[in-house]
Amino acid sequence: MNPVPKSKSAAAHAKAGPNQHAAALAEAQLREVALRITPARIKVLAALLEARCAFSHQDMQDQFVDMDRVTLYRALDCLTDAGLAHKIAGDDRVFRYSAGTEHGDSAAHGDAAHHAQHQHGHFKCTRCAKVFCLDGSGDAGFLDSILALGDGHASSTPAALRKQLQQALQDTLGKGFQGHEIELTIKGWCADCAH
């Protein structure tokens, strides 16, 4: 499965490597979190930054035929651990990776080990299995948009929603239960498949 349809020239460009802007952005992000800068990490992060949807390991392997599987796994794990990418578990038992994550209140620590789990929704196409992050397209993030529709209070934020969900969890199951990750997946057809 190719995550993004490519013309022959685009496929040749992808094999040649990421564009210079994405590579420069990837390198800057690696520096920002004090990770060792390697060609594999730059290449993988740049590809994720350019991607319209999340990539599986196999998608990345198909794109970077010159990179061995272990190097690719290590690069993806390193980027995920550093908070530069996140791993999305699919109901098809395939992990997909996307650039970026929300750092929430833990970003103040400035340490990659303190980055929060990503807390945003995903859209999964039930026809082509592409996964898209619902984290910040448009003026407001997806959760901010939903909260604004829900109660109209300007003080509603994703952090406030997490707090409300934690309280609801304890009210339902009792004291001592602590949620640490929220997963929201909307399933349907992507724009390419809906035609």
Side-chain angles (χ1 to χ4, degrees):
M1 171 188 87
N2 270 340
V4 180
K6 296 178 182 174
S7 67
K8 287 184 181 181
S9 62
H13 174 65
K15 287 183 181 179
N19 77 42
Q20 293 302 322
H21 176 71
L25 181 57
E27 189 171 335
Q29 287 186 6
L30 289 167
R31 272 190 175 67
E32 187 177 309
V33 296
L35 280 180
R36 189 167 57 96
I37 297 170
T38 66
R41 289 175 185 169
I42 292 171
K43 192 181 240 187
V44 170
L45 182 55
L48 292 176
L49 288 167
E50 290 182 313
R52 186 171 160 239
C53 60
F55 285 126
S56 70
H57 181 273
Q58 186 61 52
D59 295 333
M60 298 293 284
Q61 190 69 51
D62 292 346
Q63 185 172 353
F64 300 123
V65 294
D66 60 327
M67 188 181 302
D68 67 270
R69 295 180 69 80
V70 173
T71 301
L72 179 56
Y73 272 120
R74 287 180 180 161
L76 288 167
D77 284 345
C78 178
L79 295 172
T80 302
D81 289 346
L84 296 176
H86 65 275
K87 187 189 291 192
I88 306 159
D91 53 1
D92 57 359
R93 298 182 184 194
V94 173
F95 287 111
R96 289 176 177 80
Y97 298 85
S98 185
T101 186
E102 290 181 21
H103 302 298
D105 299 331
S106 64
H109 294 291
D111 181 5
H114 293 216
H115 289 303
Q117 294 281 339
H118 73 282
Q119 301 291 308
H120 63 260
H122 297 100
F123 179 91
K124 179 176 182 185
C125 180
T126 56
R127 285 191 174 163
C128 68
K130 290 179 188 172
V131 177
F132 302 84
C133 291
L134 300 174
D135 58 352
S137 54
D139 293 335
F142 184 76
L143 285 177
D144 290 334
S145 299
I146 296 301
L147 290 170
L149 292 173
D151 64 6
H153 291 64
S155 63
S156 293
T157 64
L161 175 62
R162 282 191 290 278
K163 194 177 254 187
Q164 290 171 349
L165 289 172
Q166 179 64 38
Q167 186 59 51
L169 179 69
Q170 289 188 0
D171 290 347
T172 303
L173 299 175
K175 297 286 182 203
F177 285 87
Q178 294 183 351
H180 61 85
E181 186 174 344
I182 300 167
E183 291 185 17
L184 167 72
T185 302
I186 298 173
K187 296 180 181 179
W189 296 336
C190 71
D192 293 336
C193 294
H195 293 230

